[in-house]
Amino acid sequence: MVSKKIEFDKMSGLPDEINSHILSFLPIKNAASSSLLSRKWRYLFASTPNLEFDDDNHKVSTSFMNFVDRVLALQGNSPLHKFSLKIKDEGRHDPTRIFNWILNVLGRGVSDLTLFMNLQSESMLPSKIFLSETLVTLKLLSGYGAAIKLDDNHDVYLPKLKTLFLQAGYENHGIGITKLLSGCHILEELVMYDISWFLWNFSSVSIPTLKRLTFRWDERDINGKSVSIATPSLAYLNFTDTMADEYPKVNLCSLVEARICLRMSDEQYGKAHFLDDATFSDVQHYSQMVGNATNFIMGLCNVYILYLYADTLEVLTCCCEAIPVFNNLTELTIESSPRVGWKPLMDLLNNSPNLETLVFQGLVNIATDSWGDLCFGKLFVEEEEIFSCLSSSTVKVLKIFRFGDYYGNMESQSQQIECFLETMPNLEQIILHYTARTVEDVTHVSRRLQRMIISTAASPKCIVQLISDNTP
């Protein structure tokens, strides 16, 4: 008897709900082509809850526009979960048709909406986006053309919105962003990229329910005037900005983790370094010219995990009246730079009574001629103060990344590690990530570290772990 191999369509035997779910993970073109298989598959595609369109996948603009029109027409009024639209335009697309697509999916109860639009002609996004009772996630990214217009004549009501991502242009600037946030009553995550709030007289993020906030502004040629952050439920803060003139209100009482890159503007930097060499009368005259970040830094006092970029250390040195006591802080990361000193590090260590883990991203800074200068920068600090600070430290784990990196002073970096070993009595572990050039370099450093532990370690329990790509 000759056996016959019988082939059959396994997917057709699956329940419609599963097949529809599978289609939702395919690129939109592939999912749409399934509608040609049979009437059953046509109806399945029509019920796909996720749609993602990208005009990069269509060389001809009319092809892309007609394709989106056909897909939306095929789906009719079926419920929609996710809609993503990415348009790089270059003058190829009709904004009226695009905005009709947005109104279509809003009418179908979309809960996850992503719009990336770079339109050649100037157009305002449909105001109905900000009156959706179904949106849970909203991401607005716009280059030229598509802007948000919100003022006293425009209502905002987003009662279910929990995640908001903004990288968009605004008319009415501060009024617009404040108006938008005021209509998000249960917002939990807010991401703002390239929001130019330096144009506004005031900037405020005041959301009682917010748990995560990311703000990123990379330009340093100009700074904001007044910035307030009142987010009592915030647990995570990732903040990159040029220091504002003032921070009238900062409430971050529930903060768990923060990554802070606060820098001076070019003008502030010039004035701050002018004051380094100024006479007393000059200081009295120009003391108000550099911004004051004290309120912002004080607002971080309850944080448990803190990452400070090198620019922030400079702000702490030049633009902060006092450093708060960080009673909850257990992990502190310091980023190094050859142009920034470490003067604030002593105050940070003294004011962190429960610090357990100290992380250095590199061991270089602006001064390298001696241990005291190397550690705490060009502002004079008595050597006794430095050793007093380290000898009273509660740190148990010291992690050092980029040891031996291209900035080069290996001897000074080795001396600094030796000083940590001989002055920090509670150290249990040093983890050293060594960017070694050869296996021989790793062997040399490893032997030197072992000698340090035997001869100078203040803590008998301390062990050193050396990690390198060239480990023998």
Side-chain angles (χ1 to χ4, degrees), residues 11 16 54 78 84 91 94 104 124 131 141 171 173-174 203 211 238 255 272 327 332 350 352 409 450 467:
M11 287 191 65
D16 289 351
D54 188 338
S78 61
S84 175
D94 177 10
N104 175 289
M124 294 298 164
L131 293 171
L141 303 91
E171 284 205 352
H173 302 301
S203 308
K211 296 179 181 178
N238 191 336
L255 199 59
N327 283 316
L332 172 64
N350 284 332
S352 303
N409 194 327
Q450 291 303 319
I467 300 173

Side-chain angles (χ1 to χ4, degrees), residues 410-450:
M410 276 295 296
E411 183 60 28
S412 292
Q413 294 184 47
S414 298
Q415 288 176 4
Q416 186 157 352
I417 292 174
E418 185 174 8
C419 190
F420 287 140
L421 274 169
E422 66 185 16
T423 57
M424 300 176 75
N426 295 299
L427 270 183
E428 297 178 3
Q429 187 178 22
I430 295 181
I431 303 173
L432 194 65
H433 294 261
Y434 181 24
T435 52
R437 294 171 177 79
T438 66
V439 173
E440 289 75 16
D441 289 340
V442 176
T443 301
H444 173 73
V445 169
S446 178
R447 289 173 178 171
R448 181 170 181 176
L449 289 172
Q450 291 303 319

Side-chain angles (χ1 to χ4, degrees), residues 124-402:
M124 294 298 164
L125 292 172
S127 59
K128 287 189 177 181
I129 293 175
F130 311 108
L131 293 171
S132 169
E133 297 188 18
T134 59
L135 279 177
V136 176
T137 300
L138 175 60
K139 299 179 181 180
L140 298 177
L141 303 91
S142 69
Y144 180 82
I148 296 172
K149 181 177 182 180
L150 293 170
D151 53 31
D152 291 336
N153 298 320
H154 294 82
D155 292 328
V156 176
Y157 184 62
L158 298 165
K160 292 186 178 180
L161 194 69
K162 291 187 176 182
T163 300
L164 178 61
F165 184 109
L166 297 174
Q167 187 175 6
Y170 288 84
E171 284 205 352
N172 301 318
H173 302 301
I175 296 175
I177 192 72
T178 302
K179 184 78 173 181
L180 174 56
L181 297 180
S182 70
C184 306
H185 303 298
I186 62 168
L187 194 66
E188 294 182 357
E189 180 171 9
L190 174 62
V191 179
M192 296 191 290
Y193 283 172
D194 299 330
I195 302 297
S196 51
W197 58 18
F198 66 85
L199 295 171
W200 314 338
N201 290 326
F202 66 93
S203 308
S204 177
V205 176
S206 180
I207 308 172
T209 58
L210 198 66
K211 296 179 181 178
R212 295 178 64 88
L213 172 61
T214 299
F215 181 89
R216 186 175 187 90
W217 175 255
D218 289 321
E219 299 295 328
R220 66 181 305 156
D221 56 340
I222 194 168
N223 64 300
K225 298 176 179 64
S226 176
V227 174
S228 290
I229 304 175
T231 51
S233 300
L234 198 72
Y236 176 81
L237 174 64
N238 191 336
F239 194 83
T240 299
D241 194 19
T242 301
M243 184 178 57
D245 289 338
E246 62 174 0
Y247 296 90
K249 185 176 183 180
V250 179
N251 184 352
L252 303 167
C253 57
S254 300
L255 199 59
V256 174
E257 181 176 356
R259 298 176 66 90
I260 307 298
C261 183
L262 192 64
R263 60 182 177 266
M264 290 183 283
S265 68
D266 291 337
E267 182 180 10
Q268 291 169 335
Y269 182 86
K271 291 172 181 176
H273 286 271
F274 163 76
L275 293 177
D276 281 347
D277 302 317
T279 65
F280 179 77
S281 60
D282 289 333
V283 172
Q284 293 294 98
H285 179 70
Y286 289 106
S287 60
Q288 300 303 316
M289 294 176 63
V290 177
N292 191 332
T294 304
N295 281 355
F296 181 87
I297 299 301
M298 288 293 182
L300 304 173
C301 65
N302 290 326
V303 71
Y304 288 78
I305 301 171
L306 180 60
Y307 189 115
L308 297 179
Y309 289 82
D311 285 327
T312 310
L313 293 181
E314 197 164 41
V315 167
L316 291 177
T317 301
C318 302
C319 311
C320 195
E321 296 172 354
I323 292 179
V325 175
F326 294 94
N327 283 316
N328 298 330
L329 189 64
T330 59
E331 180 175 323
L332 172 64
T333 298
I334 299 294
E335 184 189 72
S336 297
S337 168
R339 63 176 181 79
V340 175
W342 282 2
K343 170 64 171 64
L345 181 56
M346 186 173 66
D347 292 330
L348 287 167
L349 293 178
N350 284 332
N351 289 7
S352 303
N354 296 301
L355 186 65
E356 295 183 354
T357 301
L358 179 60
V359 183
F360 288 97
Q361 291 289 346
L363 286 176
V364 295
N365 67 57
I366 200 169
T368 58
D369 56 345
S370 68
W371 151 245
D373 288 335
L374 175 65
C375 185
F376 294 105
K378 67 180 182 178
L379 295 184
F380 181 74
V381 179
E382 291 287 348
E383 191 169 324
E384 291 181 2
E385 293 181 60
I386 298 171
F387 283 91
S388 173
C389 166
L390 295 178
S391 62
S392 61
S393 167
T394 59
V395 172
K396 297 179 180 178
V397 178
L398 181 64
K399 298 180 182 179
I400 300 170
F401 292 86
R402 293 167 26 213

